[in-house]
Amino acid sequence: MPELSFVAPIEPVPKSRPRTVSVKDRAGRVRRVSTYTPKRCKDFERDLSLYAIRAISAAWDKAGPFTVRLDFFCRTARRVDLDNLCKAVLDALNGIVWDDDCDVTQLSATKDIDRENPRVEVTVNG
């Protein structure tokens, strides 16, 4: 299988916890609870998936297993967990590069600072 490699020139965003909102009636009883992914994370996943779609070829086979290398270059030194950065990328590529990220059997990742050129570099081998 060919290698898939692309660079997304966007600021890396970690996967954040789902947010929950409760809607109460006039008596104060909870009538509905909804859970959502924060907009910043959804926007990052959407943008990253567009870069993947542009890079993928018609010959790409979404059947695993896959080896993935992720290199994150952040604009600032703010505290960000590497595993949450990886989770956001793996989720963004579901249905595009692989059917589900459970097909990823090996993952390597780095995190560094590049104030002038924040980006995510992705390499996938089947």
Side-chain angles (χ1 to χ4, degrees):
M1 178 183 292
E3 176 181 276
L4 172 64
S5 184
F6 66 94
V7 176
I10 55 178
E11 177 72 25
V13 174
K15 184 74 169 191
S16 31
R17 296 174 195 225
R19 306 289 190 237
T20 302
V21 176
S22 302
V23 177
K24 297 180 180 181
D25 63 13
R26 291 182 186 183
R29 295 178 298 234
V30 174
R31 287 294 179 201
R32 186 180 42 167
V33 175
S34 62
T35 304
Y36 67 95
T37 300
K39 182 180 183 331
R40 183 171 174 243
C41 186
K42 281 175 61 172
D43 290 347
F44 171 77
E45 289 179 2
R46 181 201 62 228
D47 293 347
L48 189 79
S49 66
L50 292 174
Y51 284 102
I53 289 168
R54 289 182 197 139
I56 208 162
S57 71
W60 184 257
D61 183 8
K62 290 196 282 186
F66 296 101
T67 299
V68 178
R69 174 158 182 79
L70 302 174
D71 296 301
F72 299 95
F73 296 89
C74 302
R75 187 179 311 277
T76 66
R78 75 177 205 268
R79 292 176 52 109
V80 177
D81 289 346
L82 184 60
D83 62 325
N84 290 334
L85 290 170
C86 292
K87 185 64 180 154
V89 171
L90 295 178
D91 285 351
L93 301 181
N94 278 339
I96 299 166
V97 176
W98 42 69
D99 289 324
D100 189 82
D101 57 1
C102 68
D103 293 331
V104 175
T105 57
Q106 186 175 352
L107 175 65
S108 62
T110 63
K111 176 179 70 168
D112 207 342
I113 297 170
D114 187 340
R115 297 183 197 291
E116 302 300 318
N117 186 23
R119 65 193 180 280
V120 179
E121 298 177 357
V122 180
T123 305
V124 180
N125 290 294

